Amino acid sequence: MFAALLAALTLATPDSDTWIVPASLPSNVTPPAIRNTTPRTGGEATPAPRKRVFVLGIRFQNRGGTQGIALEQVVEGSTADRAGFTAGMVIAEIEGKSTAGRSGEDCTRMVQEAGAVVSLKYYDPLTFKLRTRTVEKSWIVPPSN
């Protein structure tokens, strides 16, 4: 249908009082970005700046157990670190939703979808009692692994 319309417009002759306006059709193909790959100084390329992310500063293990999911890493200096979270702590709920049996990706998504403040229910490593702590997200540059 588009080809027939384009052919009809191409073969049409303009009236004497018609204006011809040049137009370009949108393209689905984006031209590739070309970057200068020549090193600037000393033969070494300048490293790309790392992006900051809005997070708590925690990483979950791959799969949660029956009690919840354990923290694999807590970024030093992050809001989670300042709130007292440590690697190995078991998180039972995120924003009131159970983490039992969930994957680390699911739990990360739950934290991301929460607002700027995230409510976490966890097992206290000293007393093994459930505690709740509300932690505010912050902007950090994640460590390179």
Side-chain angles (χ1 to χ4, degrees):
M1 180 173 137
F2 180 72
L5 179 62
L6 184 60
L9 290 175
T10 306
L11 298 175
T13 57
D15 295 336
S16 59
D17 62 340
T18 305
W19 293 83
I20 298 175
V21 178
S24 63
L25 297 175
S27 171
N28 290 340
V29 179
T30 317
I34 300 173
R35 296 183 179 165
N36 183 1
T37 58
T38 308
R40 294 181 182 219
T41 59
E44 294 181 24
T46 305
R50 296 196 328 235
K51 294 182 180 180
R52 294 181 338 150
V53 290
F54 192 57
V55 295
L56 294 177
I58 56 176
R59 183 179 2 191
F60 297 100
Q61 290 183 344
N62 289 336
R63 176 68 54 192
T66 57
Q67 299 296 318
I69 190 163
L71 296 179
E72 184 174 294
Q73 179 185 16
V74 178
V75 177
E76 188 176 333
S78 66
T79 54
D81 182 39
R82 291 191 302 270
F85 288 93
T86 60
M89 280 181 113
V90 176
I91 306 298
E93 292 181 5
I94 300 172
E95 290 294 314
K97 297 177 187 171
S98 174
T99 60
R102 291 187 186 254
S103 70
E105 292 174 355
D106 286 344
C107 294
T108 301
R109 191 175 310 107
M110 290 167 66
V111 170
Q112 289 171 344
E113 290 173 354
V117 177
V118 182
S119 174
L120 300 171
K121 189 176 277 190
Y122 64 97
Y123 286 96
D124 187 335
L126 298 176
T127 63
F128 300 109
K129 291 184 179 181
L130 274 174
R131 307 247 186 243
T132 302
R133 178 151 300 161
T134 303
V135 184
E136 189 172 339
K137 293 180 185 178
S138 65
W139 289 98
I140 66 167
V141 176
S144 57
N145 290 342

